[in-house]
Amino acid sequence: MGVVTWYLILFSISLAFLLLRAKAKTKKQKKRLPPGPPALPLIGNPLWLKKSYNSLESDLRRLWAEHGPIVMVHMGPQRSIFISDRRLAHEALIQKGAVFADRISMPSKQHNILGARYGPLWRLLRRNLISEVLTPSRVKTYTHGRNWVLKILVQKLESESVRSDDGAVTVLESFRYAMFSLLLLMCFGEKLDEEQIRQIGDTQKKLLVNLDRYSLLSIIPTIAKIFCRREWNDMVETKQRQAELLVPLIRIRREKQGKKIVNEDDPNFVFSYVDSLIDLRLPDEGDRKLTDAEIVSLCSEFLDGGTDTTSTALQWIMANLVKFPKTQQKLVEEIDSVLSAERKLEGKEERGFNNIISEDDLQKMKYLKAVVMETLRRHPPAHFVLPHAVTEEADLGGYTIPTDAMINFLVVPMGLDEEMWEDPMEFRPERFLDRDEELDLTGSREIKIMPFGAGRRICPGLGLAMLHLQYYVANLVREFEWKVRDGEEVDLSEEWDFTTVMKNPLRVVLCPRSRTK
């Protein structure tokens, strides 16, 4: 082969390389990633690597002031994008919902709704939960369960008040116990005893508190078994304990189905979430049924999703009713007005549960809903929506959103937007009564608050959560006058504990209300 030929070959290769490099450079120049603090390759920003999400908000406010409402932070090798603007949230979650509905893949979270990638499995699991458990007609069948739990809750509050040296009660743990008991009934169809409830609750709490650590261990199991032996064994033991507690409950429901004991016409029968999972099949995985371990994962998700969030929101609502007694009195007047009109009670009503506020009554209590909505605006239980990811590169706010980034939408800034809310720091439920139309919590038309997220990944239990909050607030306010001891005040400072709770838990004096109407 001649010299000229070699030169031509080398020239062609060099030209091709230069063209490819120029094309790549041009493509790179077109990408404009969101701004943020400087980062080192692979390590990211060392200062941010040590931070947990709950400690980020003050730093993020500084970054938004400097860069605008969308910023990117390198937390180790992971790129995390944080968005505070409600318009950008609407563009991403509603207008471009299909693109922004993915999750970063986590091996330990493939067969549940929260962690599944956006696709057929996620659709199947979510559709099953909504159609089998969370439809209005199905939720109505759990009315007796809500009444049962209300009695337990009131009795606990009364007994703790009697045992207390000064008559004051710290209410959060009672709220958690009540919500967890109700969700266990909905999940497994059985009214469990107190010991079972506490054992399952303690195990679920441990898994929840260690969620990030256990997830990291699950990603690198081979390394974790060697270098993090103690942590690995702790995770394995906790998950084994969870299986020991939950699998027998699953098998009880499976045996009842196999023996055809299940009869939905039986007034004592409770259709459970597990009942809907036992015969569920996965078409994309050989049409197989779910394993016990996968059902445990879905049950765990169901229990966690509605316990801490609802009990935390319930504490915030009651804290504001205590802090603002005029609001509490106005709510009491609405409740009495609705009940008097509905039931036309005569004489003195016996104190007790002969006249629990029903779910039909709640529909007529507009101020009650306004109190709940205002609390969710001011004190959303979760300050971050669970991280999203994009199915393909997308543009948002003039920036390129890469497929490997975790996308975080902050809830609090949207509820405090001064363009949308007058005097946003003030607690004023009346703002929700003065509107021309009822605020859409789904954000489909416009995002104004998003305590349940928005778009395709919106919390499927939104309707159930709103029902539970209104039901328990109304009945607890009707049962007791809520106030603090003389000389004490309600402290609305916040603290992170999976959800954003009160730094100093609500401690109240409960005075039974007179029932003379």
Side-chain angles (χ1 to χ4, degrees):
M1 189 178 292
V3 175
V4 175
T5 304
W6 278 111
Y7 272 118
L8 287 172
I9 292 173
L10 290 172
F11 176 77
S12 300
I13 293 173
S14 300
L15 181 62
F17 175 77
L18 290 171
L19 289 172
L20 287 171
R21 187 175 179 183
K23 183 178 180 181
K25 188 175 181 180
T26 302
K27 186 177 181 181
K28 187 175 181 180
Q29 287 174 343
K30 289 182 180 178
K31 293 182 182 180
R32 186 180 174 220
L33 295 175
L40 299 171
L42 297 179
I43 299 174
N45 186 299
L47 294 176
W48 286 73
L49 183 59
K50 296 185 294 182
K51 294 179 181 290
S52 58
Y53 270 33
N54 54 290
S55 65
L56 294 178
E57 290 186 67
S58 61
D59 297 289
L60 287 171
R61 283 193 289 271
R62 175 178 53 80
L63 291 177
W64 288 323
E66 181 180 351
H67 299 292
I70 176 170
V71 297
M72 183 164 69
V73 175
H74 291 73
M75 305 175 76
Q78 178 65 60
R79 296 193 283 190
S80 294
I81 295 172
F82 296 89
I83 298 167
S84 64
D85 183 77
R86 58 187 181 83
R87 297 178 187 83
L88 288 176
H90 188 269
E91 179 184 344
L93 299 176
I94 304 298
Q95 297 173 4
K96 300 177 180 178
V99 177
F100 280 81
D102 210 0
R103 296 274 197 240
I104 297 293
S105 180
M106 294 283 286
S108 61
K109 298 182 180 180
Q110 288 301 301
H111 286 85
N112 63 26
I113 300 169
L114 294 179
R117 299 292 301 271
Y118 182 62
L121 175 63
W122 173 79
R123 293 188 187 92
L124 175 68
L125 297 176
R126 184 181 172 94
R127 183 170 59 247
N128 174 74
L129 173 61
I130 292 173
S131 63
E132 296 294 332
V133 180
L134 299 180
T135 60
S137 59
R138 182 71 75 190
V139 168
K140 186 75 174 176
T141 66
Y142 300 117
T143 295
H144 73 287
R146 281 184 281 278
N147 295 346
W148 168 64
V149 165
L150 176 62
K151 293 179 183 180
I152 292 174
L153 177 56
V154 169
Q155 288 165 4
K156 278 188 172 296
L157 293 173
E158 287 179 327
S159 63
E160 288 180 22
S161 180
V162 170
R163 290 198 303 268
S164 172
D165 292 336
D166 58 3
V169 179
T170 302
V171 298
L172 181 58
E173 285 308 312
S174 294
F175 288 170
R176 279 177 175 158
Y177 180 86
M179 294 303 104
F180 193 67
S181 301
L182 177 55
L183 288 167
L184 280 170
L185 174 64
M186 295 177 67
C187 190
F188 298 104
E190 309 287 340
K191 290 181 179 178
L192 305 182
D193 62 43
E194 185 168 348
E195 181 62 22
Q196 284 178 293
I197 293 170
R198 293 206 178 278
Q199 287 179 354
I200 297 172
D202 290 344
T203 304
Q204 288 298 126
K205 188 69 175 178
K206 185 175 181 180
L207 287 166
L208 205 56
V209 168
N210 293 288
L211 181 62
D212 292 340
R213 187 160 61 96
Y214 288 169
S215 296
L216 183 60
L217 293 171
S218 299
I219 294 173
I220 48 173
T222 304
I223 297 174
K225 289 177 185 178
I226 298 171
F227 296 101
C228 305
R229 191 72 184 174
R230 191 192 322 177
E231 291 83 357
W232 176 265
N233 289 338
D234 180 63
M235 179 187 74
V236 170
E237 289 174 6
T238 306
K239 290 189 174 181
Q240 285 177 345
R241 178 58 176 160
Q242 181 190 47
E244 290 171 2
L245 292 167
L246 300 189
V247 169
L249 299 175
I250 295 168
R251 290 178 177 167
I252 288 172
R253 303 304 290 192
R254 187 179 284 120
E255 288 172 7
K256 286 186 175 182
Q257 284 195 7
K259 295 177 181 178
K260 302 190 183 301
I261 301 175
V262 171
N263 178 12
E264 293 198 34
D265 294 328
D266 181 350
N268 296 316
F269 172 75
V270 178
F271 182 86
S272 70
Y273 183 36
V274 168
D275 292 328
S276 76
L277 297 172
I278 288 173
D279 290 326
L280 192 67
R281 293 184 177 274
L282 308 180
D284 291 346
E285 298 183 29
D287 203 39
R288 71 173 179 86
K289 292 184 178 182
L290 292 165
T291 65
D292 281 350
E294 289 164 348
I295 295 178
V296 166
S297 176
L298 287 161
C299 291
S300 180
E301 173 185 69
F302 181 83
L303 297 172
D304 291 342
T307 299
D308 278 81
T309 50
T310 306
S311 57
T312 298
L314 186 55
Q315 181 184 218
W316 282 115
I317 294 168
M318 302 314 296
N320 278 287
L321 291 177
V322 174
K323 190 172 184 66
F324 304 104
K326 289 183 179 179
T327 301
Q328 183 176 170
Q329 182 57 36
K330 188 171 180 179
L331 179 56
V332 171
E333 291 169 1
E334 178 183 67
I335 291 170
D336 288 344
S337 174
V338 169
L339 295 185
S340 296
E342 283 291 308
R343 297 165 184 172
K344 296 183 172 57
L345 298 176
E346 295 182 359
K348 185 176 181 180
E349 175 190 336
E350 287 186 11
R351 190 169 170 273
F353 293 91
N354 297 323
N355 289 282
I356 290 174
I357 297 172
S358 73
E359 290 150 34
D360 291 336
D361 295 330
L362 299 178
Q363 303 302 316
K364 304 177 182 68
M365 298 179 184
K366 294 183 179 180
Y367 191 67
L368 168 66
K369 186 171 183 179
V371 168
V372 173
M373 295 282 279
E374 178 70 344
T375 306
L376 292 175
R377 182 191 70 82
R378 278 292 288 114
H379 305 283
H383 283 198
F384 292 84
V385 173
L386 285 173
H388 286 239
V390 288
T391 55
E392 59 187 35
E393 278 193 357
D395 178 81
L396 183 66
Y399 297 106
T400 297
I401 307 299
T403 56
D404 64 344
M406 295 178 69
I407 307 163
N408 303 274
F409 298 90
L410 271 82
V411 176
V412 174
M414 299 176 194
L416 299 181
D417 187 341
E418 292 183 349
E419 291 184 13
M420 176 56 60
W421 304 103
E422 182 181 354
D423 299 322
M425 298 303 293
E426 181 183 345
F427 184 83
R428 184 161 51 85
E430 287 76 12
R431 71 174 83 240
F432 286 95
L433 301 177
D434 298 338
R435 309 180 68 86
D436 294 332
E437 58 183 14
E438 187 174 330
L439 186 141
D440 176 20
L441 272 175
T442 68
S444 57
R445 297 187 298 273
E446 179 184 13
I447 290 178
K448 298 175 182 177
I449 59 173
M450 50 181 289
F452 299 96
R456 304 190 182 206
R457 290 274 186 172
I458 192 171
C459 174
L462 186 160
L464 182 68
M466 289 297 291
L467 170 61
H468 286 174
L469 290 174
Q470 292 175 74
Y471 175 82
Y472 288 105
V473 168
N475 279 288
L476 289 173
V477 167
R478 183 172 184 251
E479 188 71 20
F480 304 108
E481 178 185 2
W482 292 64
K483 57 185 182 180
V484 292
R485 289 181 56 80
D486 291 342
E488 295 183 3
E489 292 185 2
V490 176
D491 180 6
L492 297 180
S493 302
E494 297 176 343
E495 184 176 74
W496 174 257
D497 178 26
F498 179 66
T499 54
T500 303
V501 300
M502 297 177 67
K503 185 175 181 179
N504 296 302
L506 180 63
R507 190 168 178 270
V508 296
V509 175
L510 301 173
C511 301
R513 293 189 186 275
S514 169
R515 296 302 183 80
T516 302
K517 301 297 174 191

